[in-house]
Every structure is written in structure tokens, then in C-alpha cells.
Amino acid sequence: MGTLAFSFIALLLSVAAVTVRAQTDPRDVSAMQDIKNSLVLPHSLDWSSGDPCSPWTHVHCSGGRVDAIQLGGTNVSGTVSPSIRNLTALRRFEVMNCGLSGPLPSFSGLSNLQAALLHHNSFTSIPSDFFQGLTGLQTIDLSYNSFAAWSIPDSLRTATSLQNFTAVAANIVGSIPDIFDSVIFPSLVELHLSFNNFIGGLPASFADSSIQSLWLNGKAGHSLLNGTIDVLAGMTGLVEVWLHYNQFTGLIPDLSRLENLQDLSLRDNQLTGVVPASLMVLPSLRAVNLTNNLLQGPTPAFASAVRVDMAGINSFCLPTPGVSCAPEVNTLLSIAQAVGYPLKFAQDWKGNSPCDSGNPWSGITCLAGNITVINFENMGLAGTISANYSSITSLQRLILANNNLTGPIPTGLATLPNLKTLDVSNNNLSGLLPSFGKSVVLNINGNPLVGTIVPTPGSSGTPGASPADGGTSASSTKKASAAVIFGSLAGGVAVVSLVGLVVFCLIRKRPESSNKVQSPNTVLVVHPHHSADQEGVKITIAGSSENGGTSENFSQGSGTTGDVHVVEAGNMVISIQVMRNVTNNFSEQNVLGKGGFGTVYKGELHDSTKIAVKRMESGVMSDKGLNEFMAEIAVLTKVRHRHLVALLGYCLDGNERLLVYEYMPQGTLSPSFQLEGTRPEAPRLDEKIKHRPGRWQGC
Ligand SMILES: *[C@@H]1O[C@H](CO)[C@@H](O)[C@H](O)[C@H]1NC(C)=O
Ligand SMILES: *[C@@H]1O[C@H](CO)[C@@H](O)[C@H](O)[C@H]1NC(C)=O
Ligand SMILES: *[C@@H]1O[C@H](CO)[C@@H](O)[C@H](O)[C@H]1NC(C)=O
Ligand SMILES: *[C@@H]1O[C@H](CO)[C@@H](O)[C@H](O)[C@H]1NC(C)=O
Ligand SMILES: *[C@@H]1O[C@H](CO)[C@@H](O)[C@H](O)[C@H]1NC(C)=O
Ligand SMILES: *[C@@H]1O[C@H](CO)[C@@H](O)[C@H](O)[C@H]1NC(C)=O
Ligand SMILES: *[C@@H]1O[C@H](CO)[C@@H](O)[C@H](O)[C@H]1NC(C)=O
Ligand SMILES: *[C@@H]1O[C@H](CO)[C@@H](O)[C@H](O)[C@H]1NC(C)=O
Ligand SMILES: *[C@@H]1O[C@H](CO)[C@@H](O)[C@H](O)[C@H]1NC(C)=O
């Protein structure tokens, strides 16, 4: 009876065992055998049965499939068999803190795998298709292995469920791939890639990522990431950012959108510029480390709840947090800002006194405590010329030659009372030239775009970068009108203005086309600033008659972007006879005003268009001056702008030099200025005017 019962139970047990074994997927059984054979198992693990689901220690099954292998901390060693790819139901593979070595096999196709914790082993390599098809992978840690140098493979893109990607000290080389945006990785929270050997910059796609914790800090003396950290400004999910021990340059961007940011470590980089005030009021900030950079301006003052470290070699003007720098320091900083806070300045401009002879600031020369010379020649500066140079009234010489400056020459420079020399040669400046006094020696050679207006995309907010107004507000130019004409009368006209033209000869031949709106016009640009004495203004301009350059330079890119048009010069020559007729033979009754440069008369054309005729004092211009004047008109006629008064034409006849403008007595803009597209292109002349001086003598 007892024997029978025992046999029965034994039978039941063996049936049960058979049943269990039959339920385990034979591919998993076979794969696990391979895995077991390649591992060196510690004695504490019992993997002796024939069925991994029977079970083996730290192996979990579900529905006859191997679901989890959790050997973390078990001191297992050996290698991982490539057969792991056959465990297609595997969800977790944990072998962290063990003694595994050899190459990691590919995990590709393990679409159910959610967690792969492989850190703190001695794996020697990782195949490039490792991540292929790991569509369920949420967290992976590859940190602290002995990988041969590898770069993040493109196959990572397929791991679209990734939340935590951790590979600290994993010998990753190459650049950080530009794939971490929220379209590819909508759930990415942690990107922990410290202590690797990346090169290059932060990828632009970070700006659109959902990352909350970003670790890209390098090793002391081994820092390689470079470029700016501007992309952080868009990473609004960030809570923690570690970028220390790299070679990041440029300024700390405005991080005011990072409302959850708690921990910001930027130490040991080469950041320059003024710490943005918005950083100091971030609501969640708890720790910030700015030590060992080249930050400038006032020492930032953070709330007492924030743990702050900003010792080291920063370049703050004063040590006490929150105390403003001297005004001249602020001015120089705003000048540096317009060229991206170059490292050279950040290294040399220490303290709160640019004129401290014991601590010379590079590029700055002082006399009796006033800045007299700024010489930034050949410093590789890229950016714009700050309008704030105009507040250094003691400035006598400003040398910005041989850099890579773009944008306009700010009109404010023409107001510097002591300026003797302005050398901006060999840059890439554009825009119209402000009217400098004759005592100023100008060199603007090597700026092929000066005289044209180049729209600068996205330049709003950059000091001095506004293309149309040279640093003054557009509204000031809107005053337009007769006032502009008289303003330019007081100053020397010529040079500043540009002009369009009515082809009077055509008008006379084809009266039906003399409707004002249809009249081809270009535009007069008058700069609002005029220095005290401007007569005989001396201008050198690329493409002037002096160097044989031609106005062709300016006919390229006859852009119609924005509200500025560069147009081809046409025939704008007006007969002296016509001028006599419309001004009543320059009658006293027609005088609108007088200035140093000449007298302005009003007149009216056949079609009732009111005009203002400026008659230069004869003998005002030498032949050379005249040539330059003509070259200037050739340049300026290429530009038209809807806010500016039209120059309709000019006349040179014997000693007569006349400029003809549209006349707007009320100071309002004519509709044709406000409506884009109502001004037809000027008819093109077959020859450039400057090449046919004979044609100037009356048409
Ligand atoms: C893994 O699967 C492949 C095909 O799916 C098969 O050829 C191979 O033998 C399997 N390996 C093991 C160890 O079962
Ligand atoms: C881990 O395994 C190695 C041999 O593989 C052995 O020398 C070592 O003592 C083990 N350590 C522990 C903590 O079990
Ligand atoms: C990712 O890391 C965070 C913080 O370490 C943790 O709370 C979260 O559970 C991790 N996610 C996964 C899928 O492991
Ligand atoms: C960043 O470093 C690489 C070399 O690692 C260099 O080629 C590149 O010009 C650097 N970029 C910047 C912006 O400094
Ligand atoms: C800031 O970084 C320096 C090293 O550059 C380090 O010594 C210091 O402990 C850090 N401070 C904080 C508050 O983490
Ligand atoms: C620079 O100029 C801007 C306006 O153009 C002004 O708001 C700012 O205060 C100036 N900065 C300095 C330091 O002069
Ligand atoms: C600087 O210039 C101003 C006027 O331009 C003058 O009053 C002053 O004495 C000069 N020197 C110093 C040290 O400010
Ligand atoms: C100036 O800037 C342009 C555009 O960024 C660049 O292509 C060029 O190499 C630069 N030139 C110099 C001399 O730095
Ligand atoms: C000069 O600037 C213009 C745009 O302002 C740009 O298209 C051109 O490439 C630049 N030239 C050089 C030599 O950098």
C-alpha cells in the first residue's frame, strides 16, 4: 500500500516534470544551454536542471519563455553567448557588477527587451547592430566596461522606447549623434554619457529633446566637447546638466525656459560673456558650478538657497556678487558681445578698469584714463560692429581691419567727436556708409558689400545688426519728407544719399508714362546723424572710381528680400533746361532753404509732381570729389527703400550740379513708398553712367 502510494506520487511528479519541460520553448532551452556553457557560474547558482524554467537560479520564465535573467552582483564571469538573440521573449537582462568579459554579442531583434544592465563588467567590444530592432528597450547601462573605442551606432535610432541611456566611461568616440529629439525618442529622460571621448559640439536636436538629466562631463585634462552650449536654452525638460571638463566656448545662454532646472554644472570650460540675469532667478535651481571659466561682467548673485561655486579663473570685473561693473567696462562688454565674447578678450580683460596701466586690456589704449584707441585688427572677430562704440567719446582711432565683421557700420560712429581714424578694411560689412566728418580718415576697402543692404536673417536683437538703418531705429528714418531734404542740405548731401531716378528724357518723350507711380524711382537715404562739419566729406568706397572698381559689384544679388531693393542704376540725367523751367529759373520765390552745400528750390513737373531741386554751390567739389560723388551715386542708386525719399535725378552741366528729389511738404510718406511693388524697376541703361562722363553734360 505504502509502496503503491509512493509509486503513484513518483509517477505524478515525473508527469509534472515532463509537463513543465514540455511547456518550455525548445529554442529558449537550447539558447540557455549555450549561455550557461559560456558563463562561469559561481557555486551559489544552481543551473543544473535541463530546463531553465525548472527553474534555474535568477532565471525567470513566463508562459514557457525565458523572461528575465538577473545575475547582477552574482560574480558570474565568462562571456555572453550570441545565442542570447534567440531568447526573443526576454524582457530583462541584468549582469551588472559581475566579471563578464569578451565581446558583447548583438542583441538585435530582441524587441521585448526592456532593460539591459551591463555596467561594471569587462566587455571588450559592442557590435554596431547591437541596438537594431530593440524597440521595447527602455533602459540600458553600458557604463564602466573595457570596450574598444566605439561610436554610438545609427542602429540606436530603432530603440524608440528608450528612457535611460547610460554609458559612462564606455570609451565612446566620435560625435554625439544628432538623433536625440523627441520624435525619435519621445520618452528619453536620462542621457548619461560622462567620461567618454566625444568630439564636436552638442547636437542641435537636443533642443527638441525630452531629456531631463544630461551628463556629458569629461575627464580632467581630457576634455573634448566644444562649440557653444546655446542648445540648452531650448531643452526645457532639463533638471540636471553636467557639462564640466569640456571645452565649451561662447556665453551661457538664456535658460529662463528651464523651469525645472536644479543642478547646473558648467565648471572647467571656456565660457565667456556675462552670466545672464535670468539664470539667477530660475525657480528650481539648487546648485550651480561655474568655477574655472572665463565669465565676464558682474559676479552673479544667486539666491541663498542655491549652492554656488564660481571660484577659479573667471574674469568677473569685481569679486562681490551683484555689484555692477564700471560704465566703460559695460560698454566694452557690449562691444565684445556683438562679436560673441571672444576668448582673447575674456582672458585679457580682467578687473574693472580698462585703462589700468598695470593690467592692459588687449586692443585698448588709453590716455589719461580715457580710451583713445581701440585696435582689434586681425583678431578673427566674427559678428557685428556694436553701436555702443559711439558712447566712447574719447575714441580717436578705431581699427577693426582684417576681421570677419558683417552688418552695417553703425551711424553712431559718425557722432564720435574725437574720431580721427576709422579702419574697417577687409571685413564683410554691408549697408550704407554713415556721413563722417572730413577730419575722419576712413578705410573701408575690402568690404565689397558696403553700399548694399544685405538682409541679415534672424538678426533682430543683435546690436547694430539691423540692416536697413545702421543701428538706428527704423522709425527715425520714417520722418522722411522735406525735413530729410533739408537735413541733408545742412550736411553734405551727396555722399549719403542714394537715389532713384526718373528718366526725364523718357518722360518727356512719353508723357503718358509720367504718372508718378509709374515713374521709375530710386531712393534717397539720409542718415540722421551729421557731424559738425561735413563739407567735402572724404569717402573711400570699394568699387569707386579710384581703384577702377565698378558698380557691377552691387548689381549682383539684386535682392528683393524684405523691404529693401537693390536695383540697377539707370539714366537719371535731367536737362538743365528742364530744371530752369520748373524752378522759374531758380527764382528766389522758389527757394525752400539754403545750406552750406547749396540752395534748394521747389518746382513742379508737368504731371504736378512736386520736386525739390538742390543746386550745389559751384566750386564746392573738386574733380576728384566729383568723380567720387558720381561713383557714390552709382552705388547708391542701386538701393531703394520704401521709407525713404526718392531722388529723381540729377543734372551736371558746366558748373551746375543739381539733385532732384521728390518733394513731400507734409512730411508724409507717399503711398508709393508704403506699398511694395508699386515702384517699377528703373529702366536699365546700356552703359553705366560713370563710364560715359560725356552723358552727364545735359541730355
Ligand atoms: C537560434 O535560432 C536560429 C534560427 O532562428 C537557429 O538557427 C539557431 O540554431 C538557434 N540557436 C540556438 C542555440 O538554439
Ligand atoms: C568572484 O569570482 C572569482 C573567480 O571567478 C573569485 O576569485 C572571487 O573570489 C569571487 N568573488 C566573490 C565576492 O565571490
Ligand atoms: C530611468 O532612470 C530613472 C532615474 O534614475 C528611474 O527612476 C527610472 O525608473 C528609470 N527608467 C527605467 C525604465 O529604468
Ligand atoms: C571642435 O573640435 C574639433 C576637433 O575635435 C574641431 O575640428 C572643430 O573645429 C572644433 N569646433 C569648434 C567650434 O571649436
Ligand atoms: C565646483 O567645481 C569644483 C571643481 O572645478 C569643485 O572643486 C567644487 O567642489 C564644485 N562645487 C560644487 C558646489 O559642486
Ligand atoms: C548699448 O546700447 C544699447 C542700445 O543701443 C543700450 O541699451 C545699452 O545700455 C548699451 N550698453 C552699454 C554698456 O552702453
Ligand atoms: C577724459 O576725458 C574727459 C573729457 O573728454 C576729461 O574731462 C577728463 O579729464 C579725461 N581724463 C579722465 C581721467 O577722465
Ligand atoms: C568668415 O566667415 C565666413 C562665414 O562664417 C567663413 O566662411 C570664413 O572662412 C571666415 N573668414 C575668416 C577669415 O575667418
Ligand atoms: C559676406 O556676407 C554675405 C552675407 O552678408 C555672405 O553671403 C558672404 O558669403 C560673405 N562673404 C564672405 C567672404 O564671408
Side-chain angles (χ1 to χ4, degrees):
M1 179 66 184
T3 309
L4 185 62
F6 176 80
S7 304
F8 179 69
I9 289 167
L11 180 67
L12 275 185
L13 280 177
S14 68
V15 167
V18 165
T19 306
V20 167
R21 204 167 291 135
Q23 280 176 349
T24 302
D25 189 308
R27 285 169 303 160
D28 282 14
V29 173
S30 154
M32 284 303 286
Q33 273 305 331
D34 282 3
I35 288 168
K36 175 182 164 186
N37 293 341
S38 68
L39 294 177
V40 178
L41 295 168
H43 299 301
S44 56
L45 296 190
D46 178 8
W47 285 22
S48 57
S49 85
D51 179 357
C53 299
S54 74
W56 292 357
T57 324
H58 298 307
V59 173
H60 300 280
C61 295
S62 173
R65 301 295 311 271
V66 173
D67 180 65
I69 300 171
Q70 295 174 296
L71 300 171
T74 60
N75 202 20
V76 66
S77 59
T79 64
V80 175
S81 165
S83 295
I84 193 169
R85 280 183 67 182
N86 287 24
L87 297 174
T88 53
L90 191 66
R91 289 192 307 114
R92 299 192 72 86
F93 185 69
E94 302 174 14
V95 294
M96 61 282 192
N97 302 309
C98 291
L100 294 169
S101 58
L104 259 184
S106 175
F107 280 27
S108 79
L110 292 180
S111 60
N112 289 304
L113 189 66
Q114 293 173 7
L117 305 182
L118 306 162
H119 48 287
H120 289 98
N121 282 286
S122 302
F123 292 118
T124 54
S125 65
I126 179 167
S128 64
D129 68 343
F130 181 88
F131 299 97
Q132 192 66 46
L134 301 189
T135 51
L137 188 66
Q138 295 171 4
T139 186
I140 182 165
D141 194 339
L142 297 163
S143 305
Y144 297 101
N145 275 291
S146 311
F147 295 127
W150 63 292
S151 49
I152 294 177
D154 206 48
S155 64
L156 185 64
R157 280 172 181 276
T158 61
T160 52
S161 303
L162 212 50
Q163 294 174 20
N164 298 348
F165 182 53
T166 305
V168 173
N171 200 17
I172 311 178
V173 299
S175 54
I176 301 170
D178 200 8
I179 58 173
F180 292 104
D181 62 65
S182 58
V183 175
I184 298 176
F185 297 110
S187 314
L188 189 62
V189 170
E190 286 188 1
L191 188 62
H192 288 179
L193 301 173
S194 312
F195 306 137
N196 284 294
N197 299 308
F198 290 113
I199 56 166
L202 300 179
S205 56
F206 272 180
D208 184 35
S209 79
S210 53
I211 295 171
Q212 293 174 15
S213 178
L214 179 66
W215 296 0
L216 289 170
N217 49 300
K219 286 176 281 226
H222 201 78
S223 37
L224 295 163
L225 281 171
N226 62 6
T228 74
I229 60 170
D230 292 352
V231 74
L232 294 185
M235 300 179 73
T236 52
L238 282 174
V239 174
E240 179 179 56
V241 187
W242 294 359
L243 297 179
H244 45 275
Y245 283 133
N246 279 296
Q247 291 179 347
F248 290 114
T249 52
L251 52 159
I252 300 177
D254 176 9
L255 301 179
S256 55
R257 291 167 63 209
L258 280 58
E259 290 180 356
N260 300 316
L261 187 66
Q262 295 178 11
D263 187 355
L264 178 66
S265 179
L266 301 175
R267 64 179 164 91
D268 297 288
N269 279 288
Q270 297 178 57
L271 299 173
T272 56
V274 178
V275 177
S278 59
L279 181 62
M280 299 166 221
V281 295
L282 277 186
S284 306
L285 200 60
R286 291 294 165 266
V288 56
N289 199 339
L290 304 175
T291 297
N292 296 335
N293 279 286
L294 293 159
L295 296 165
Q296 298 162 281
T299 299
F302 291 89
S304 57
V306 182
R307 198 156 38 87
V308 184
D309 202 329
M310 50 191 170
I313 55 168
N314 280 309
S315 304
F316 299 123
C317 61
L318 291 166
T320 315
V323 178
S324 306
C325 306
E328 62 270 25
V329 172
N330 284 334
T331 300
L332 288 172
L333 286 174
S334 68
I335 284 167
Q337 181 184 19
V339 287
Y341 292 116
L343 269 183
K344 171 100 180 118
F345 296 162
Q347 284 158 346
D348 286 9
W349 291 4
K350 301 274 188 187
N352 199 26
S353 168
C355 291
D356 177 358
S357 57
N359 174 29
W361 284 28
S362 59
I364 311 294
T365 306
C366 300
L367 185 66
N370 286 322
I371 298 172
T372 52
V373 181
I374 293 183
N375 186 345
F376 296 157
E377 182 168 8
N378 211 2
M379 285 190 170
L381 303 183
T384 59
I385 302 178
S386 169
N388 287 7
Y389 278 107
S390 64
S391 49
I392 310 176
T393 52
S394 52
L395 194 59
Q396 295 175 13
R397 285 161 44 79
L398 177 55
I399 316 293
L400 302 173
N402 300 315
N403 284 294
N404 212 345
L405 299 169
T406 55
I409 300 170
T411 52
L413 296 191
T415 66
L416 283 168
N418 295 303
L419 193 66
K420 304 278 183 295
T421 304
L422 175 65
D423 185 350
V424 295
S425 56
N426 301 318
N427 280 286
N428 191 9
L429 297 166
S430 56
L432 303 176
L433 195 63
S435 43
F436 288 92
K438 72 175 171 197
S439 55
V440 179
V441 178
L442 288 178
N443 187 351
I444 62 169
N445 291 318
N447 289 283
L449 299 177
V450 166
T452 64
I453 295 176
V454 179
T456 40
S459 69
S460 57
T462 309
S466 177
D469 62 18
T472 41
S473 75
S475 61
S476 67
T477 28
K478 277 187 186 170
K479 287 171 192 159
S481 86
V484 169
I485 294 174
F486 294 124
S488 69
L489 215 208
V493 170
V495 240
V496 253
S497 336
L498 134 95
V499 198
L501 53 138
V502 164
V503 181
F504 269 54
C505 302
L506 287 182
I507 288 174
R508 282 184 300 163
K509 283 177 201 144
R510 301 184 308 157
E512 72 281 5
S513 72
S514 65
N515 171 296
K516 186 154 82 87
V517 172
Q518 288 172 358
S519 298
N521 291 306
T522 48
V523 165
L524 165 64
V525 177
V526 177
H527 293 267
H529 298 289
H530 294 280
S531 52
D533 80 30
Q534 287 178 307
E535 293 166 37
V537 172
K538 167 86 172 75
I539 304 269
T540 346
I541 191 161
S544 80
S545 53
E546 273 180 305
N547 57 19
T550 71
S551 54
E552 276 86 24
N553 289 349
F554 306 97
S555 60
Q556 297 145 8
S558 57
T560 52
T561 324
D563 55 9
V564 174
H565 294 252
V566 179
V567 299
E568 193 60 43
N571 185 354
M572 37 191 302
V573 181
I574 301 168
S575 147
I576 184 70
Q577 203 47 55
V578 170
M579 292 298 90
R580 289 212 172 99
N581 290 345
V582 300
T583 60
N584 220 349
N585 203 10
F586 302 113
S587 132
E588 216 42 49
Q589 267 98 61
N590 287 48
V591 170
L592 289 168
K594 288 188 185 181
F597 226 69
T599 307
V600 175
Y601 301 86
K602 70 175 174 229
E604 194 168 331
L605 299 179
H606 306 305
D607 64 355
S608 306
T609 304
K610 299 233 183 330
I611 60 170
V613 179
K614 182 178 298 178
R615 189 188 198 191
M616 310 286 186
E617 301 287 2
S618 58
V620 160
M621 279 190 276
S622 66
D623 282 351
K624 187 152 176 282
L626 183 61
N627 283 343
E628 287 169 355
F629 171 57
M630 291 313 298
E632 192 71 13
I633 285 191
V635 169
L636 297 178
T637 48
K638 308 278 182 178
V639 183
R640 59 170 64 177
H641 188 287
R642 62 193 163 102
H643 291 150
L644 299 167
V645 180
L647 179 75
L648 302 179
Y650 65 90
C651 180
L652 290 120
D653 193 340
N655 284 333
E656 292 286 2
R657 278 121 211 211
L658 306 172
L659 291 169
V660 183
Y661 302 96
E662 203 164 18
Y663 176 44
M664 282 176 282
Q666 285 80 36
T668 53
L669 295 172
S670 81
S672 62
F673 281 106
Q674 293 161 345
L675 294 173
E676 270 311 294
T678 55
R679 283 183 182 248
E681 286 281 304
R684 296 177 180 218
L685 276 191
D686 292 337
E687 297 113 315
K688 307 287 177 208
I689 18 180
K690 59 186 299 238
H691 292 159
R692 291 286 303 271
R695 294 195 61 170
W696 303 347
Q697 311 296 325
C699 59

